[in-house]
Amino acid sequence: AQKITQTQPGMFVQEKEAVTLDCTYDTSDPSYGLFWYKQPSSGEMIFLIYQGSYDQQNATEGRYSLNFQKARKSANLVISASQLGDSAMYFCAMRDPYNAGNMLTFGGGTRLMVKP
Amino acid sequence: NAGVTQTPKFRVLKTGQSMTLLCAQDMNHEYMYWYRQDPGMGLRLIHYSVGEGTTAKGEVPDGYNVSRLKKQNFLLGLESAAPSQTSVYFCASSYGADGGNQPQHFGDGTRLSIL
């Protein structure tokens, strides 16, 4: 069984500073994928970034980057130059490659609050 | 670009009533999913479908049924609603077997309250 853990229920960050949101996972499969989603107060789920287990480089998408440490089984999201609009819930999720439906297992989320 | 559309957005039911949540996607995705999100928690998979006419159970399937009669639609049914089913329901879709590195695209959610 796969498991995703986000140990930070809530975090504060000063506007324009960088912040790291933690995500650890547990799987015995060598092939897997990790996703980060943002959920603002309006409720929708917004895809941010993806990291494959065989990717040689850490994923980056604009101000978002993934600090992927495979041996530690961690895939932390780094947001650079935080903005007020970054205040939201952030979810880490892992794809199980060995099921028929590319299903995702989600962590419990981290609430990020950006202070002006 | 409609993407994934969920109907309705809000609904209040009484215990024992039935209802169907509709999900429609216009991205020609093979796979579709229904999740529930309880307060302060992540999403949990209820049922999913890997193609028209197929459905399968997820992590929390009890009390729900689904149907995928058309590729673009995925219906979630509650036969006899219970207060424990009060939640926000999300539908998602994604590419098929070759799209494992592609994200799931989500609808805006349906907020369901069972009294």
Side-chain angles (χ1 to χ4, degrees):
Chain A
Q2 301 186 104
K3 187 175 180 180
I4 293 280
T5 303
Q6 296 180 252
T7 58
Q8 307 151 311
M11 288 191 68
F12 285 95
V13 65
Q14 197 68 39
E15 191 178 10
K16 300 181 183 178
E17 292 185 350
V19 63
T20 298
L21 307 183
D22 294 342
C23 173
T24 58
Y25 58 91
D26 185 19
T27 181
S28 57
D29 301 321
S31 175
Y32 50 88
L34 295 154
F35 299 81
W36 276 91
Y37 284 86
K38 172 184 179 181
Q39 186 179 42
S41 58
S42 50
E44 69 270 30
M45 295 289 287
I46 302 168
F47 166 70
L48 295 177
I49 196 167
Y50 167 81
Q51 179 83 45
S53 61
Y54 292 124
D55 292 345
Q56 294 296 312
Q57 294 186 328
N58 287 345
T60 60
E61 287 287 348
R63 294 187 299 111
Y64 304 109
S65 61
L66 241 162
N67 182 2
F68 181 48
Q69 299 188 38
K70 196 169 181 178
R72 289 188 167 186
K73 294 188 176 180
S74 73
N76 300 337
L77 177 70
V78 180
I79 305 174
S80 63
S82 296
Q83 302 172 356
L84 296 179
D86 293 335
S87 294
M89 284 289 291
Y90 289 82
F91 292 98
C92 179
M94 180 165 59
R95 173 184 55 81
D96 178 356
Y98 292 109
N99 69 60
N102 286 338
M103 294 184 289
L104 295 179
T105 300
F106 283 83
T110 295
R111 181 173 299 279
L112 177 67
M113 290 152 282
V114 181
K115 297 186 291 184
Chain B
N1 293 336
V4 179
T5 302
Q6 292 184 231
T7 309
K9 297 189 185 304
F10 304 94
R11 185 73 183 268
V12 178
L13 291 179
K14 294 181 179 179
T15 298
Q17 287 185 319
S18 64
M19 78 161 296
T20 300
L21 279 64
L22 173 63
C23 177
Q25 53 96 3
D26 62 1
M27 295 172 283
N28 201 35
H29 284 164
E30 283 295 326
Y31 293 178
M32 296 188 74
Y33 313 84
W34 275 107
Y35 294 89
R36 62 177 287 172
Q37 183 180 27
D38 298 313
M41 297 179 65
L43 279 69
R44 292 184 293 167
L45 184 65
I46 303 171
H47 286 280
Y48 66 99
S49 167
V50 298
E52 181 178 320
T54 73
T55 63
K57 294 180 180 180
E59 180 186 356
V60 288
D62 294 342
Y64 305 95
N65 56 76
V66 288
S67 63
R68 183 112 180 259
L69 299 180
K70 294 183 178 181
K71 184 177 182 178
Q72 64 268 34
N73 295 337
F74 195 28
L75 278 62
L76 177 71
L78 285 73
E79 291 183 345
S80 179
S84 62
Q85 294 177 305
T86 293
S87 190
V88 180
Y89 292 85
F90 286 96
C91 176
S93 70
S94 72
Y95 290 104
D98 294 334
N101 62 344
Q102 298 297 314
Q104 292 181 11
H105 296 261
F106 285 81
D108 289 340
T110 295
R111 189 173 297 274
L112 183 60
S113 295
I114 316 295
L115 304 179

